[in-house]
Amino acid sequence: MFVFLEAYRAGLLNRNNWTRNIVAGVIVGVVALPLAMAFAIASGVKPEQGLYTAIIAGLAVSVFGGSRVQIAGPTGAFIVILSDIVVRHGVDGLQVATFMAGIILVLFGLSRLGAVIKFIPRPVIIGFTAGIGVIIWVGQWKDFFGLPPVSGEYFHQKLWHLLQVLPQWHLNTTALALLSLLLVVFSSRLPRMRHVPGPLLALVVATALQSIFHFDGVATIGSTFGEIPRGLPHFQWPDVSLGRVVELVGPAFAIAMLGAIESLLSAVVADGMAGTRHNSNQELVGQGLANIAAPLFGGIAATGAIARTATNIRNGGNSPLAGIVHSLTLVLIILFLAPYAANVPLAVLAAILFVVAWNMSEARHFVRMVRRAPRADVVILLVTFGLTVFADLVVAVNIGVVLAMLFFLRRMAGSVEVNRQSDASLRKEFAYLGFEGLPDAVQVYSVEGPLFYGAVEAFQQALSESGPSPRVLVIRLRHVPFIDATGLQVLEEAVEDLQRRRVRVMLAEVNGRVYRKLGRIGLVDKLGRKNIGQSLIAILERAAETAGDDGGNN
């Protein structure tokens, strides 16, 4: 109930805000109508299941989510995953996987992983969303052109078969699809149609033409799926067994990860448009509850929908009331207008998905990133994109994130410097501190950056190139914010090697966090507490006193 408390404190539940939120909710509900059916059909399920999802998930996220303006429902991002699950495990398997994904999302939220998921690199997100856009676009050729069914497990196989049957395109179907596409794209330029959503206008016009002229060979919702039931779905517990749970863990986790990414991206966009501030962890809990509830009433996977959320904000929605009204609007449409959906041509839904695919691909942003981004980011982008299209979305995201981490570690390791500091380089610092100069037979090394496993090579190389062994070697750790297990091991090995060469090792400017880690591995005792300090001057004075010794450590 986070969003209701936030809206109440902001005074957004007062009566003077009801009208704007009711209007926004009705508009979003009307916009969601064709999208919900289109996404459901593209995912391999019946169109009414998309409507049920938009109703149930939209209501759950509006009540339990972390953004007061978020609108949830089926989205294009899920099409690739859901259609594959339906092919492999059936619609029942999809509902079990969605239910499991909902539980995973709730656990994500309760574990406070919302902020972590937002750190997925931008090239990975652009790469897989662009890949999904391409898959959706090619996947709609059949309904857009009225082509015969094609087979093929992989994208390139389906594409090749589609190209082979493309000359068999159906004239009436293609004409309706092209008209619908033009209406979706250019409806805002038509007189008195500026405020009418393009997908709705295309749906109404194409359905009316089909109802009047009954074009031969044009596939419709009625001819393909039968009439949409007039009424709300009944509660039905999914067929869950231990074997099926084990079988569907992978798909469920894929749904959960994609749902988390998509919903949090939508919430961030909403914050920028509405000036709000969402709660990431609560948003994941709300999305989880939505995906638990949706399959219990015949629905499929859902997440925050960026386009519908933006429509809500643009039309004045500023509280959860708009999302609730959006769900109620779809309920009324099902109760009173369901029979008219039988004449909806599949071609108009394919045209709507063409536009959705274009928007998802972010083609301009994709090209700009390829041309201007650093080479490492371009590699991550293209690898993620290619794997999404030709392999698997989950594999693409995993490999994209791993590549991003490796490139990040490489950059971090390259930014860590280990330098020997001469008396001349320390002169200004000594003058400021009132110290005369570097004692004889004393060398000072400065480590700049975290001493972690990716940076230990620079540390080892610098010490190996130190030249003749000094009596005392001081290592400055002023700019070392943390040190990991590998760094500790390498430091310990370096100390032992230097001590065997009768070199006294001292550590200067050690922060408390690093000092505690040195103590746990016994390095403080090995060096001697007097040889570790937070002040460079104190350590150098100690070094000057002992430089004449035989090099043994106390």
Side-chain angles (χ1 to χ4, degrees), residues 117-265:
I117 292 173
K118 290 191 295 185
F119 291 145
I120 293 178
R122 191 66 179 166
V124 176
I125 294 173
I126 295 296
F128 82 72
T129 53
I132 291 171
V134 170
I135 295 173
I136 293 173
W137 177 60
V138 173
Q140 294 306 304
W141 286 12
K142 173 183 173 295
D143 291 334
F144 191 93
F145 297 108
L147 302 175
V150 297
S151 60
E153 182 178 357
Y154 299 103
F155 174 82
H156 66 278
Q157 296 171 335
K158 295 177 183 177
L159 177 60
W160 176 244
H161 291 163
L162 283 168
L163 291 173
Q164 288 180 316
V165 301
L166 193 57
Q168 303 177 36
W169 60 278
H170 188 259
L171 177 61
N172 292 336
T173 300
T174 305
L176 272 178
L178 289 173
L179 174 63
S180 302
L181 184 62
L182 292 172
L183 289 174
V184 173
V185 176
F186 298 109
S187 63
S188 60
R189 302 183 185 182
L190 298 176
R192 299 182 181 180
M193 293 294 174
R194 182 175 300 175
H195 300 294
V196 178
L200 176 65
L201 181 61
L203 181 73
V204 171
V205 171
T207 303
L209 290 174
Q210 180 62 24
S211 300
I212 295 171
F213 297 104
H214 299 286
F215 298 112
D216 291 333
V218 174
T220 63
I221 286 179
S223 66
T224 307
F225 302 98
E227 290 190 355
I228 292 180
R230 179 186 287 183
L232 298 178
H234 301 290
F235 177 89
Q236 185 174 3
W237 187 258
D239 182 17
V240 181
S241 64
L242 180 60
R244 188 153 237 199
V245 168
V246 174
E247 183 182 30
L248 293 169
V249 165
F253 191 80
I255 293 173
M257 283 299 299
L258 186 57
I261 295 169
E262 187 82 0
S263 64
L264 294 179
L265 281 177

Side-chain angles (χ1 to χ4, degrees), residues 21-41:
N21 283 284
I22 291 173
V23 170
V26 171
I27 292 173
V28 175
V30 171
V31 170
L33 174 66
L35 294 175
M37 292 192 295
F39 293 144
I41 293 171

Side-chain angles (χ1 to χ4, degrees), residues 482-543:
F482 67 87
I483 182 170
D484 71 353
T486 305
L488 288 168
Q489 180 181 349
V490 170
L491 181 60
E492 185 177 26
E493 291 173 354
V495 168
E496 291 174 351
D497 179 64
L498 289 165
Q499 288 180 343
R500 282 194 295 269
R501 291 154 51 190
R502 303 183 65 79
V503 177
R504 185 186 299 276
V505 180
M506 296 182 173
L507 303 181
E509 300 167 309
V510 182
N511 66 46
R513 184 179 181 183
V514 172
Y515 185 87
R516 287 191 294 272
K517 290 187 176 182
L518 296 176
R520 288 196 198 105
I521 67 168
L523 198 53
V524 171
D525 294 333
K526 186 174 294 185
L527 289 172
R529 295 182 185 274
K530 294 181 179 180
N531 295 326
I532 301 177
Q534 295 182 345
S535 167
L536 175 63
I537 298 303
I539 288 295
L540 289 177
E541 288 175 346
R542 171 69 175 161

Side-chain angles (χ1 to χ4, degrees), residues 236-305:
Q236 185 174 3
W237 187 258
D239 182 17
V240 181
S241 64
L242 180 60
R244 188 153 237 199
V245 168
V246 174
E247 183 182 30
L248 293 169
V249 165
F253 191 80
I255 293 173
M257 283 299 299
L258 186 57
I261 295 169
E262 187 82 0
S263 64
L264 294 179
L265 281 177
S266 179
V268 170
V269 171
D271 286 348
M273 294 181 65
T276 57
R277 185 175 181 181
H278 74 280
N279 183 316
S280 299
N281 298 311
Q282 184 62 43
E283 181 64 21
L284 292 180
V285 171
Q287 296 291 341
L289 294 175
N291 282 281
I292 290 173
L296 299 179
F297 294 92
I300 57 176
T303 186

